[in-house]
Amino acid sequence: MIRICRSVLLSSALAGTAAMAISLPTFAQSQQQSFEITDIRIDGLQRISPGVMFSLLPVSIGDEFRPGMAAEVIRSITESQYFEEVEVAREDGVILITVLERPSVSEINISGNRVLQTEDILNNMASAEIVEGGIFTRSTLEAIRQGIQEVYSSRGRYGTTVDIEVTEQPRNRVAIDMTVNEGQESRIRNVNLVGNNEYDSDELLDLMDLGVKPWYLPFSGRDKYSREQLEGDLERITSYYLDSGFARFNIDSTPVSVTPDNENIYITINVNEGQQYQVSRVDLVGDLVNAEALLRAYTLVGPGQTYSQALITASEEYMTQILGNLGYAFANVEGVPEVNDDDQTVEVIFYVEPGARTYVNRISYRGNVSTADDVLRREMRQLESAPASSQQIELSKIRLERLGYFSTVEVQNVEVPGTTDQIDVEFDVEEQNFGSISFSVGSGGGGDWFIATDLQAENFLGTGRTVSVGLNRSYFSSSARFSYVDPYYTPDGVSRGFSLFAQKQDSFQNVASFSTTSYGGSLSFSYPINEIQQIGYTVGYSHTELTSGSGFSVQEIEASPRLLTNVDRYIIEPAILNPWEGPVRDAVTRSVSDLSSEFLNQGTDPGFIDKYGRSFDNFTITTNWIRNTLNRGQLATRGSFQQASAEVTLPGSDLEYYRLSYNTQYYRPIYGNSWVFHVRTNLGFGDGYGDTKELPFFQNYFAGGLAYNGVVRGFEENSLGPRSTPPVQYRTDFTNLARDENGVIRVNEAGVAAGYDGSRGYLTVPVFDQNGQPVLDENGLQQVQLATETFDIYGDRNNFGGNLLTTASFELLFPMPFVQDRGQIRSSFFVDVGSVFSTDCTLRQQRFNSCSDFDVGQLRYSVGVGVTYLSPFGPLTFYLAKPFSRDERDQTKSFDFTIGAGF
């Protein structure tokens, strides 16, 4: 046998690479000659299959083996990194290859790390091809150890050590145990600026995220060193100078010193300010595609201005956008400042390279699992085969975001391979909950029970249509409703919807008691005016029947007291049952008709039912205008929303009234996209016209809690504003004693009457004049009037609402800590203000000071924090609030939540 070549792979911890040594014995060299390979034999394989091994060889059986091929065989095998040693020998026409495989990694264990996640370390090792089941190389592992230490050093942990233990295991495997000792985190003790004359150090240090921790912020992390943060701070300082005209500004060096105990860090920033420069000339060169005037209009830099790199960058972006709108999707605009140090001026030249005009080849969508492509495609303003417009592509993205079906919408332009003038537009969306479905059954206090099911699907079966179905049955309500909206009833965006409802319902929470039975429906159309505005019309019909609550309605609904149908007499003297008090007899009564109306003690201010009856058929028409520039359909962070509506009953309706409403929302980011200022206002006014002199009370506005369009958190639902006047009833008593079949009063052995026969009469009280003297009738007898009493069965349920609504919310939206997906959850600090007023206060309400026209002093305020989460069951909203500026009659609620309605 002739040994041809042997290779041993050596590791170098310093270089991190494998070295190859090839030895060709002199006695073998002298005998080398070409021969035909009759067989190839491989020895030493354990995990590597022969098939993989043969695929690495540059020769095969039947080939001619020429001098020098041994080195080529070894090189091909060693480049696979599978083997520690390779030996090649010849026996006649047989090539003998002996290998020693590198060990494989059986497991990787990491401990002691807190700052760096284990997953991040494993990913870093995987990028260097050290993974469980992979080939083990010590040189690469050493480089990883040094890299981890450098990462910790960049984060201010200079004392970090990484110990690695490699344990050999059977079958040529090794286990890697990595122990990280992170040590103490070094803290910044001083940042020193050297060379700054134009701006003082405090002004520049305020631009930095890193620095000495203020004494008044004990939990601040500003003194935690990070190389990446320092680089960002240096860029901010540089931009600050460049934007202020210092075109030659430079940061010469930033030495970072660490004390021997690795606890304290001292940073020195050496700056060279230079002189302040002015812009002398601005010019555009290149292919301006006949749009020079338009491009110059968006150039923010002009002669005589102080040089500003920020204005140059903004001009580049504007001009690139303009060219993109003209179809040049890959345009490039670069503003190059040419500095003249002699007179401290800068000539700015914008080099315009529009590239080829591009056309959209195809628009595609990814991520819309439930939503049909057609729903997305009809929102497109960029069309296929049309010139690519950056503006139209961005507008298409915004329209998808406003749908509210997707938590994120991303878009990218991809060049079509083999072309220079075509792109594909790819939208990547992530669907979120776009509706809610719920089923509930249970009971409440006092025997109240309920069963309810609701479906609210704003993207029903992915069609983009909205379907809402609800069936409810409870102690106080029975209802069924159905609504349907097709936002693209016509291809050009005209929407159509209709709704049907039937319900029998007692008044809702905290509201003066009454009952309604109603049914009806509506048909609506909405027409787009432009990309952000639409106007809609709704025609509706409703039949409503009113019932006084529990037989005793508040006086604003039905005047009281009212004479009872089965009582027609009033009591002069009560009945005598005990013979010790006089002869046993019936009460002395008279007919109520004998009393003058002034002594009936009836109210003179009629209620709504007294004036208009109990049953109404109303036809309404509603005009609705919407302007929407919000960036998202749910949990927006910028833009505004305005809605104005006017509802009026049509001629032929039993009631004549109108309602005007205006709602608005405004979002403005104040720090990135995480801290956002939000304002929400709700205004409403309604009144009667024609024969109806007031807004029907069941159409009143309400405010308090999370009431629809009347949000003032911290107060009970619907509890603010005018209150009703409790009903008054006549006092009655029994009149006639019980008798036997012969008409004789029944008495017991003691002669006491056995009781009454059920007849009743009204009790009376004497009447006195203003001087306190008895009022006598024509016979000289004391005049009497019917006695009354207030019958307040409602307790706190006396809120009545009003025809004037004014509420507002001021919020600071902030990112919730430890939450990754901030598109699904929102937290805020808020101040709410508002109330409900009435321009039609009744005399009774004025007498009891329970109603007022608009009065700033009657507004209610609250502060608190709130959270909204887009759950799979619909939006969940929670809040904690502290009300103030309240009176003793206000009902407060510090905590509340709602399911299925975001705020």
Side-chain angles (χ1 to χ4, degrees):
M1 180 177 71
I2 300 176
R3 175 175 293 178
I4 298 178
C5 183
R6 183 184 182 205
S7 170
V8 180
L9 304 184
L10 305 176
S11 30
S12 173
L14 296 177
T17 59
M20 181 179 70
I22 301 177
S23 61
L24 297 175
T26 57
F27 72 91
Q29 293 175 2
S30 64
Q31 301 181 36
Q32 284 188 16
Q33 60 183 352
S34 300
F35 62 91
E36 182 181 352
I37 302 173
T38 60
D39 195 9
I40 300 175
R41 299 175 187 176
I42 302 173
D43 188 26
L45 295 180
Q46 298 184 45
R47 300 182 317 279
I48 307 301
S49 68
V52 172
M53 186 66 186
F54 280 111
S55 69
L56 299 175
L57 298 178
V59 296
S60 60
I61 297 174
D63 291 346
E64 180 183 2
F65 197 91
R66 297 183 303 275
M69 276 192 173
E72 187 178 347
V73 169
I74 291 176
R75 187 180 304 108
S76 298
I77 295 174
T78 55
E79 284 178 353
S80 69
Q81 299 291 319
Y82 291 152
F83 305 102
E84 192 82 25
E85 294 185 9
V86 180
E87 181 177 317
V88 179
R90 170 190 174 188
E91 184 174 327
D92 296 329
V94 179
I95 301 298
L96 303 177
I97 302 175
T98 304
V99 296
L100 176 61
E101 291 184 358
R102 292 183 186 273
S104 66
V105 179
S106 62
E107 59 180 307
I108 301 174
N109 301 310
I110 302 173
S111 61
N113 56 303
R114 297 187 307 276
V115 175
L116 290 182
Q117 298 295 321
T118 300
E119 182 180 358
D120 294 335
I121 297 177
L122 290 174
N123 289 338
N124 182 269
M125 297 176 70
S127 64
E129 299 184 353
I130 293 186
V131 295
E132 292 185 1
I135 302 300
F136 171 71
T137 56
R138 288 185 179 275
S139 58
T140 304
L141 190 63
E142 175 63 21
I144 290 174
R145 184 188 67 80
Q146 295 178 358
I148 293 174
Q149 288 181 321
E150 290 178 2
V151 172
Y152 274 99
S153 297
S154 70
R155 300 191 179 188
R157 291 181 179 267
Y158 289 92
T160 299
T161 60
V162 180
D163 298 323
I164 300 177
E165 182 178 352
V166 180
T167 305
E168 294 185 0
Q169 294 183 332
R171 293 182 300 167
N172 197 25
R173 298 181 303 159
V174 295
I176 301 174
D177 294 304
M178 181 180 295
T179 302
V180 180
N181 181 7
E182 295 180 335
Q184 296 296 321
E185 189 171 26
S186 305
R187 299 287 181 169
I188 299 174
R189 296 306 177 194
N190 184 52
V191 179
N192 184 34
L193 283 154
V194 179
N196 54 305
N197 298 314
E198 187 69 25
Y199 301 108
D200 59 40
S201 295
D202 289 341
E203 184 176 353
L204 298 177
L205 291 175
D206 287 341
L207 300 174
M208 300 178 61
D209 290 334
L210 294 181
V212 180
K213 179 170 63 178
W215 64 267
Y216 53 83
L217 294 176
F219 301 106
S220 170
R222 188 180 183 189
D223 59 348
K224 295 181 179 180
Y225 174 77
S226 167
R227 183 183 303 164
E228 292 80 5
Q229 279 188 297
L230 178 59
E231 291 175 356
D233 289 339
L234 297 180
E235 289 180 4
R236 276 190 288 274
I237 293 175
T238 301
S239 297
Y240 189 72
Y241 272 96
L242 291 179
D243 296 342
S244 301
F246 295 89
R248 293 296 191 188
F249 175 81
N250 184 55
I251 296 179
D252 295 332
S253 62
T254 54
V256 178
S257 303
V258 184
T259 56
D261 57 7
N262 292 323
E263 291 186 359
N264 301 319
I265 297 175
Y266 296 86
I267 302 174
T268 301
I269 302 175
N270 297 300
V271 304
N272 182 2
E273 292 181 331
Q275 300 295 318
Q276 194 173 46
Y277 287 70
Q278 304 291 320
V279 176
S280 61
R281 188 171 75 92
V282 177
D283 199 7
L284 278 68
V285 299
D287 186 0
L288 305 183
V289 296
N290 297 320
E292 180 176 358
L294 185 59
L295 294 175
R296 287 191 179 276
Y298 284 88
T299 304
L300 306 181
V301 183
Q305 292 181 345
T306 300
Y307 170 77
S308 172
Q309 183 62 47
L311 293 180
I312 294 177
T313 302
S315 299
E316 293 172 345
E317 294 174 353
Y318 280 131
M319 285 189 278
T320 302
Q321 182 70 31
I322 292 299
L323 292 171
N325 295 341
L326 296 175
Y328 300 91
F330 301 104
N332 180 56
V333 178
E334 182 180 4
V336 178
E338 297 183 359
V339 180
N340 186 342
D341 294 322
D342 294 336
D343 57 1
Q344 282 80 50
T345 62
V346 177
E347 182 179 346
V348 181
I349 300 177
F350 289 96
Y351 293 89
V352 180
E353 297 180 6
R357 192 172 192 185
T358 51
Y359 295 82
V360 174
N361 173 58
R362 183 172 178 268
I363 300 176
S364 59
Y365 311 94
R366 293 194 302 265
N368 53 316
V369 178
S370 300
T371 307
D373 273 12
D374 289 345
V375 175
L376 285 72
R377 192 168 294 279
R378 67 194 185 190
E379 299 297 331
M380 296 295 101
R381 293 301 177 260
Q382 172 64 62
L383 303 179
E384 293 177 343
S385 301
S389 169
S390 301
Q391 183 180 23
Q392 298 301 323
I393 294 174
E394 180 64 20
L395 182 57
S396 300
K397 174 177 178 288
I398 292 173
R399 290 183 64 87
L400 291 181
E401 290 174 326
R402 288 177 185 164
L403 288 176
Y405 306 158
F406 311 108
S407 58
T408 60
V409 178
E410 302 295 338
V411 61
Q412 62 177 343
N413 301 330
V414 181
E415 290 187 76
V416 177
T419 68
T420 59
D421 61 349
Q422 294 184 41
I423 64 170
D424 288 336
V425 180
E426 298 179 353
F427 288 91
D428 195 349
V429 301
E430 181 178 348
E431 290 182 332
Q432 67 180 3
N433 174 64
F434 32 72
S436 62
I437 183 170
S438 64
F439 175 81
S440 55
V441 60
S443 63
D448 295 351
W449 60 273
F450 63 88
I451 179 171
T453 178
D454 286 282
L455 167 67
Q456 174 73 30
E458 296 182 4
N459 186 13
F460 183 66
L461 300 179
T463 63
R465 301 182 178 99
T466 298
V467 175
S468 178
V469 179
L471 297 173
N472 294 275
R473 181 72 175 96
S474 69
Y475 180 78
F476 54 85
S477 175
S478 299
S479 65
R481 58 180 177 80
F482 175 82
S483 64
Y484 169 89
V485 177
D486 183 355
Y488 277 85
Y489 175 62
T490 65
D492 53 357
V494 175
S495 69
R496 183 190 66 172
F498 64 87
S499 65
L500 300 171
F501 74 92
Q503 66 179 12
K504 182 177 182 180
Q505 184 174 10
D506 288 339
S507 53
F508 44 94
Q509 181 184 7
N510 292 327
V511 176
S513 181
F514 64 92
S515 298
T516 62
T517 299
S518 59
Y519 57 84
S522 64
L523 176 66
S524 62
F525 290 89
S526 182
Y527 303 86
I529 301 174
N530 52 36
E531 291 295 340
I532 61 174
Q533 296 185 77
Q534 66 180 35
I535 189 167
Y537 302 94
T538 301
V539 178
Y541 163 77
S542 65
H543 173 82
T544 304
E545 295 183 5
L546 292 176
T547 303
S548 302
S550 303
F552 295 95
S553 178
V554 298
Q555 297 191 58
E556 283 69 31
I557 298 177
E558 190 172 21
S560 58
R562 308 179 71 87
L563 293 174
L564 303 177
T565 57
N566 59 343
V567 179
D568 59 0
R569 303 189 68 81
Y570 67 92
I571 300 172
I572 301 299
E573 295 180 8
I576 298 177
L577 284 75
N578 195 325
W580 295 97
E581 298 175 357
V584 175
R585 60 171 174 78
D586 294 331
V588 178
T589 64
R590 290 184 182 175
S591 174
V592 173
S593 61
D594 295 339
L595 276 177
S596 173
S597 60
E598 62 179 310
F599 298 123
L600 292 178
N601 205 15
Q602 290 182 315
T604 59
D605 194 0
F608 186 87
I609 291 178
D610 302 320
K611 292 184 285 187
Y612 305 109
R614 298 178 180 271
S615 179
F616 315 101
D617 289 297
N618 294 321
F619 299 88
T620 60
I621 183 170
T622 302
T623 301
N624 189 47
W625 170 80
I626 293 176
R627 184 180 186 275
N628 185 4
T629 63
L630 297 180
N631 64 325
R632 287 206 297 262
Q634 298 193 64
L635 302 188
T637 57
R638 66 178 182 272
S640 64
F641 176 86
Q642 299 178 70
Q643 181 178 24
S645 63
E647 176 188 5
V648 61
T649 56
L650 297 174
S653 301
D654 292 331
L655 294 174
E656 298 173 315
Y657 65 88
Y658 62 90
R659 284 164 43 108
L660 307 175
S661 299
Y662 178 73
N663 306 321
T664 182
Q665 295 191 59
Y666 174 73
Y667 295 87
R668 180 179 178 84
I670 57 177
Y671 184 77
N673 289 320
S674 299
W675 293 79
V676 180
F677 177 66
H678 173 219
V679 179
R680 169 175 173 154
T681 60
N682 295 282
L683 305 175
F685 177 77
D687 207 348
Y689 72 93
D691 294 333
T692 305
K693 304 302 182 184
E694 60 193 279
L695 182 68
F697 69 91
F698 49 86
Q699 296 289 348
N700 275 350
Y701 297 99
F702 290 88
L706 293 172
Y708 175 72
N709 280 343
V711 173
V712 184
R713 287 161 285 189
F715 296 87
E716 284 280 1
E717 206 89 359
N718 308 307
S719 66
L720 299 180
R723 296 175 174 84
S724 59
T725 307
V728 176
Q729 68 173 357
Y730 288 117
R731 296 177 57 196
T732 63
D733 201 356
F734 294 106
T735 56
N736 297 333
L737 302 178
R739 287 172 165 78
D740 59 18
E741 61 274 9
N742 298 319
V744 179
I745 297 174
R746 293 178 178 175
V747 296
N748 60 18
E749 295 178 355
V752 177
Y756 297 98
D757 67 358
S759 302
R760 303 186 70 88
Y762 298 107
L763 293 175
T764 59
V765 294
V767 179
F768 298 93
D769 62 19
Q770 59 184 4
N771 297 320
Q773 299 299 316
V775 176
L776 306 178
D777 61 15
E778 63 275 8
N779 299 320
L781 300 176
Q782 171 78 59
Q783 185 64 269
V784 296
Q785 63 182 4
L786 300 187
T788 62
E789 63 180 345
T790 300
F791 192 67
D792 192 0
I793 64 173
Y794 306 114
D796 290 335
R797 293 185 59 193
N798 60 355
N799 302 294
F800 201 64
N803 68 328
L804 176 59
L805 169 71
T806 172
T807 63
S809 296
F810 303 89
E811 293 188 305
L812 177 61
L813 310 180
F814 63 91
M816 181 170 285
F818 314 114
V819 174
Q820 297 296 326
D821 189 0
R822 293 173 178 170
Q824 295 292 107
I825 191 167
R826 160 176 293 172
S827 49
S828 66
F829 298 110
F830 64 81
V831 176
D832 287 353
V833 57
S835 191
V836 173
F837 304 92
S838 176
T839 60
D840 296 314
C841 295
T842 65
L843 296 175
R844 303 183 193 89
Q845 290 175 314
Q846 294 175 6
R847 187 180 308 120
F848 287 97
N849 195 28
S850 62
C851 179
S852 73
D853 202 341
F854 179 77
D855 183 355
V856 174
Q858 295 297 319
L859 293 174
R860 298 293 182 261
Y861 302 85
S862 66
V863 297
V865 294
V867 176
T868 297
Y869 166 58
L870 297 181
S871 76
F873 304 100
L876 302 180
T877 299
F878 305 83
Y879 75 77
L880 286 171
K882 174 66 175 177
F884 58 97
S885 181
R886 54 182 289 257
D887 65 30
E888 59 185 12
R889 294 179 296 180
D890 286 338
Q891 305 161 47
T892 61
K893 179 185 288 187
S894 297
F895 170 78
D896 201 2
F897 72 95
T898 182
I899 302 177
F903 177 70

